Amino acid sequence: MRELLGKVSNIDPNITQNVYLCETVQCQECKKTVPVGIEVVMIKKVGASKKVLKHEYYCRAHAYDSHGVDYESIAHRR
């Protein structure tokens, strides 16, 4: 399962961060493996093609200690 929550734009109009809700993620911050987490994919448009710059994975277990809550809330607002 992988569901797009939203896209976050950067200063450069050719670079966007796609925020996904996905299964079985190991958080990069706390190293916990969670059943449902946040995947952030930074993509750069180069002409007609797209290039993946980096992947990031975060937990979303609780709002007070979640490392992916910032990306999730920004993606839901847009």
Side-chain angles (χ1 to χ4, degrees), residues 24-43:
T24 315
V25 170
Q26 182 177 12
C27 180
Q28 290 179 298
E29 299 291 325
C30 64
K31 306 298 184 207
K32 286 194 290 187
T33 302
V34 294
V36 178
I38 301 292
E39 177 184 3
V40 181
V41 182
M42 186 178 287
I43 297 176

Side-chain angles (χ1 to χ4, degrees), residues 1-2 5 7 9 16 18-19 21 23-25 27 30-32 35 37-38 41 53 60 64-66 73-75 78:
M1 176 190 94
R2 187 174 173 199
L5 294 177
K7 296 182 179 184
S9 59
T16 59
N18 294 346
V19 181
L21 188 66
E23 290 182 8
T24 315
V25 170
C27 180
C30 64
K31 306 298 184 207
K32 286 194 290 187
I38 301 292
V41 182
L53 298 178
R60 63 182 292 269
Y64 59 87
D65 68 350
S66 172
S73 64
I74 290 170
R78 295 180 188 239

